[in-house]
Amino acid sequence: ILDGFNLLLERRFDKVSIQTDSFEAVNIIQDGSSGNSNSTLIKRILQVLNMFKQWKIQHLPRENNSIVDSLAKSVRTKSLGLRLFEYPPLLI
């Protein structure tokens, strides 16, 4: 998540919407935004998020996001490197 944010900042995006299948990550980042986190990683993520004009994070179950699931599976089988999609692909 942090690497993705840094990439978006380099490309001068000012708004970010995060969708993840990790319910735990959503809760930790949301709890950290209220100042309740002792984690250095969460504090760094929140510092970077504050550089965006607007951000939101939401839980999206894996079964409801087949595109992201396919992308994640393809990374395990191929060496694709880091890629940024401005618009999500319709098919993998």
Side-chain angles (χ1 to χ4, degrees):
I1 291 175
L2 182 57
D3 290 339
F5 291 156
N6 286 324
L7 183 61
L8 293 171
L9 285 172
E10 287 175 17
R11 295 193 178 227
R12 302 186 193 274
F13 286 89
D14 60 355
K15 297 177 184 174
V16 64
S17 176
I18 307 129
Q19 296 176 332
T20 178
D21 66 350
S22 174
F23 189 71
E24 182 180 7
V26 171
N27 285 336
I28 289 171
I29 291 171
Q30 286 177 337
D31 289 347
S33 67
S34 64
N36 295 334
S37 178
N38 291 328
S39 165
T40 303
L41 177 59
I42 298 303
K43 287 180 183 178
R44 181 67 186 129
I45 287 172
L46 293 170
Q47 285 175 340
V48 172
L49 280 175
N50 285 327
M51 295 177 181
F52 292 99
K53 286 184 182 178
Q54 182 180 358
W55 66 271
K56 70 176 183 175
I57 186 167
Q58 65 187 74
H59 176 253
L60 186 66
R62 181 174 292 189
E63 56 273 5
N64 292 356
N65 196 343
S66 60
I67 293 171
V68 171
D69 192 41
S70 296
L71 285 170
K73 287 178 183 175
S74 72
V75 170
R76 285 190 215 140
T77 59
K78 301 175 186 172
S79 179
L80 298 176
L82 182 61
R83 297 180 186 244
L84 175 67
F85 295 96
E86 291 194 33
Y87 301 98
L90 298 176
L91 296 171
I92 300 297

